[in-house]
Amino acid sequence: MTARARLLCSLLLATLLLCTSSGGRGQGQTAQSSNTAAPAASQADIEAAVAALCKPADIIRSKNGNASGCKNCPEGTDFFGQHMGEWELRNSLSGHFTSAQNNDLILGGFHCDSHASNFGGSFIFSLKSGKPRLLKYDNGLVIEQCHKFRYADGRDFLVCRGGWSGQGEYDGYFFLTRFDATGKDSQTVIFSTRNTEGSCGDGSGGSVEGSDIKDAKFSATDSGELTGMTITATNGTITCAQAKVKRAPGEEPPSMKTYEIQFLFDGKQFSVAPASKAALRVFPQQ
C-alpha cells in the first residue's frame, strides 16, 4: 500500500500539547508538537491561484468573502469534467519547495478525487513571475497536517501526518515529502500504524490490532535546524468486545502498551535512533 493511497486522519487526532524534547542531537529548541502546522500563504496569492483554477462564476466564497473552492472540479483532479461535485479548498502553504530561489504556493483541496487518491490532492504554483503559475497537481498529496522545514541548500520540505481507511482497517502514518523543479512530489513514509477495530462488525467475538499514533514532537537546534522527531504510539491486541466499549480520552485497554520511538534527521532523511529500534519492531512497517 503506497503513501499516496491514504485518507486524511485529521478527525481522529487528539489535541496535542507543546513540550520540551530531550531527544535529538544536543540541546535545542522546545519541541514542536505535531499539531503546530506550517503557516498559511498570503490571501492575495491564494485568491490569484484559485482564479487560475476556476472560472470567475465558479469560485465559491466563505462568509468572510475569501475564496474557498470551485463549483466544479479543476483540471488535473480525478473528477475533472464529470460534474461530480465541488472542489473544497482546505489548506495553503508557501515556501521554497521547488528550489531555494523560487517562491512557491501549495493549495490543498478535497472532494474531487477518488478513495485511492485520498479524496484529494494539492496544486503546486510558482510565484516567480509575481503571480501564481500552475506547475503541477500532486494527486493524493494531503497537506492538512504538515510542518515545513528547510534543507541546508535552502529548499523547503514537509513532514506530514496522514492516514488511510477501508474495509475496517485504519492506517496512520507520518511521511516526508519533497518536490522537484517541476513541482512533482516524492513521499517517504517515516512511521506507520495499523488499527483493525473497524473489522469487528456487529459481533463481539475475535481479536484485532489496536495500534495508533498518539503524539509526535519535533526537535530542532536553536537556529531552527530539524534534528529529529519522537513519536508516541500504542500497540496491542484487543477483543472486539473491548473495541466496542466507549473509553475516556487517553484510556486504553490493559493489553495496549505505549511506546516512544525516536527518529534522527541527518539533514536529508530520518532514521530510527539505536535506542528505539526494539520499540519500532513492535510496529510492522508498511
Side-chain angles (χ1 to χ4, degrees), residues 37-92:
S42 75
Q43 189 57 40
D45 287 336
I46 294 172
E47 293 285 339
V50 172
L53 299 176
C54 314
K55 296 178 181 179
D58 286 345
I59 296 177
I60 301 171
R61 297 194 175 276
S62 60
K63 292 182 180 179
N64 63 11
N66 293 334
S68 61
C70 301
K71 294 179 181 178
N72 294 295
C73 294
E75 185 173 356
T77 62
D78 288 345
F79 301 151
F80 170 65
Q82 298 183 36
H83 306 289
M84 294 183 66
E86 301 174 344
W87 176 72
E88 179 185 355
L89 171 63
R90 286 277 190 89
N91 299 86
S92 61

Side-chain angles (χ1 to χ4, degrees), residues 116-189:
S117 301
N118 272 358
F119 298 108
S122 297
F123 290 96
I124 316 300
F125 292 87
S126 171
L127 301 176
K128 189 175 181 180
S129 64
K131 63 179 182 179
R133 178 176 65 85
L134 180 61
L135 296 177
K136 193 176 189 315
Y137 181 65
D138 284 327
N139 186 284
L141 174 61
V142 175
I143 63 167
E144 270 208 331
Q145 298 198 48
C146 289
H147 311 264
K148 184 175 70 174
F149 298 101
R150 184 157 293 178
Y151 289 120
D153 66 2
R155 289 182 302 123
D156 291 325
F157 65 96
L158 300 174
V159 178
C160 307
R161 182 173 179 173
W164 180 91
S165 65
Q167 298 182 334
E169 175 186 312
Y170 175 77
D171 294 345
Y173 64 102
F174 271 92
F175 66 96
L176 181 152
T177 187
R178 59 179 64 86
F179 303 86
D180 65 16
T182 69
K184 179 177 175 56
D185 73 307
S186 175
Q187 299 180 21
T188 303
V189 175

